[in-house]
Amino acid sequence: MKTIFVTGGAGYIGSHTVLLLLESGYRVKIYDNLSNSHLEAVKRIERLSGKSVEFIEGDIRDTDRVANALQGSSAVIHFAGVKAVGESVSNPLKYYDNNVLGTIELLKAMKQSEVKKMIFSSSASIYGNPQYLPIDEQHPINPTNPYGRSKFMLEQILRDIYDTNRGYSFGILRYFNPIGAHPSGEIGEDPQGIPNNLLPFITQVASGKLDKLRVFGNDYDTPDGTGVRDYIHVMDLAEGHLRMLEKLDDNSFDIYNLGTGRGYSVLQIIKTFEKVNGINIPYEIVSRRAGDVPVSYADVSKAQKELGWRAKRGLEDMCKDAWRWQLKNPKGYRSSM
Ligand code: NAD
Ligand code: UD1
């Protein structure tokens, strides 16, 4: 049985992927410093899967600790990192330290332990303002903030390592907008403080924690004037990692967009959430948010063709599952403490 070393495995996307890995017969070691997650997520993964996970609390910048922990693993899925775009603008050093330096230390540890396969979490934010739609993997790269730049720097670092060292295999996955939760409502996204992203904000308005949603702009050149994004169910995203893992061989470097290929506007999201959950979402239109792009959605044909993967879950599932998670866990993972 293969052991997969999952950095950031207690986090939002990591926890859903770990669950699928266990259900697919892999052994999993999670390495996470719990800076943006809770051990409770790991307990729930174990409960849902009926299998145990080895959890190691640690920082990816602690090279020796990572190298020790890596022993016996056949591949790394690397989710660990910081991801708030606004914070990356005000505190870029945190992003270059955690994401860029952290990944470099992880790569050094992999070299020491002779683990040569990695799946890396990249982001659609590296494309910047789309020059054409849908966005394919050849689209020019132009990140507009330090978070996006940290992700692109890492893609380049991985490419350089691949080009000069035989035997490495890298799968780079550029996620569009992951939302939703496991259908059990046991694991999901647990943002700290007031959420920045649309879906967590909507679920907190729905639960009465926040009074109304602010819709950032209705004067974009889109059918209803509000921003359009490619929202993807986190379980579909997790399945994409399984397909990528199966494809990693002893010498490969691949980049894939993971999205649905469909764009929905903010108002469409609100309406769908209201309809499927029978809840009213009060909102007001405010001015555009600085740095937002009008429209973004993926060309997913490469992942379909080469990974045999496609997103199966629709927007209604995403909205229902996000709400179930919120209802069952009004205070996120702290609800069960
Ligand atoms: P998350 O914050 O829920 O998970 C990240 C995990 O990494 C957390 O458990 C955190 O405690 C851990 N971590 C952070 N820094 C660490 C460090 N130095 N050492 C060890 N552990 C550390 O985020 P997520 O939404 O699950 O995102 C996972 C990855 O996907 C990130 O790299 C993120 O940049 C990328 N990504 C996320 C999105 C998104 O919308 N959620 C979109 C594109 C890309
Ligand atoms: C943002 C990041 C992106 C990151 C992604 C997931 C920016 C510029 N980009 O993407 O790098 O990968 O989060 O973490 O920040 N909206 C509202 N009201 C709200 C929140 C959002 O109207 O309270 C709108 C936004 O204007 C946008 C859409 O909802 O049109 C989605 O926003 P969000 O969930 O923040 O994701 P992105 O901006 O696409």
Side-chain angles (χ1 to χ4, degrees), residues 34-46:
L34 299 178
S35 57
N36 195 35
S37 51
H38 298 268
L39 203 52
E40 176 63 21
V42 180
K43 292 186 189 148
R44 294 193 187 181
I45 296 167
E46 290 185 320

Side-chain angles (χ1 to χ4, degrees), residues 124 127 135 137 173-179 229-233 236-237 240 256-263 296-304 307 309-313 318:
Y127 294 120
I135 300 171
E137 290 83 353
L173 302 178
R174 294 176 178 163
Y175 314 149
F176 278 68
N177 289 55
I179 62 171
R229 296 290 184 277
D230 186 338
Y231 298 93
I232 173 168
H233 197 295
D236 280 322
L237 198 61
Y256 298 103
N257 283 341
L258 294 186
T260 64
R262 264 204 80 164
S296 162
Y297 57 92
D299 181 329
V300 288
S301 51
K302 188 174 178 217
Q304 282 178 10
L307 296 179
W309 168 90
R310 71 164 69 221
K312 297 189 293 247
R313 297 156 180 90
M318 302 184 214

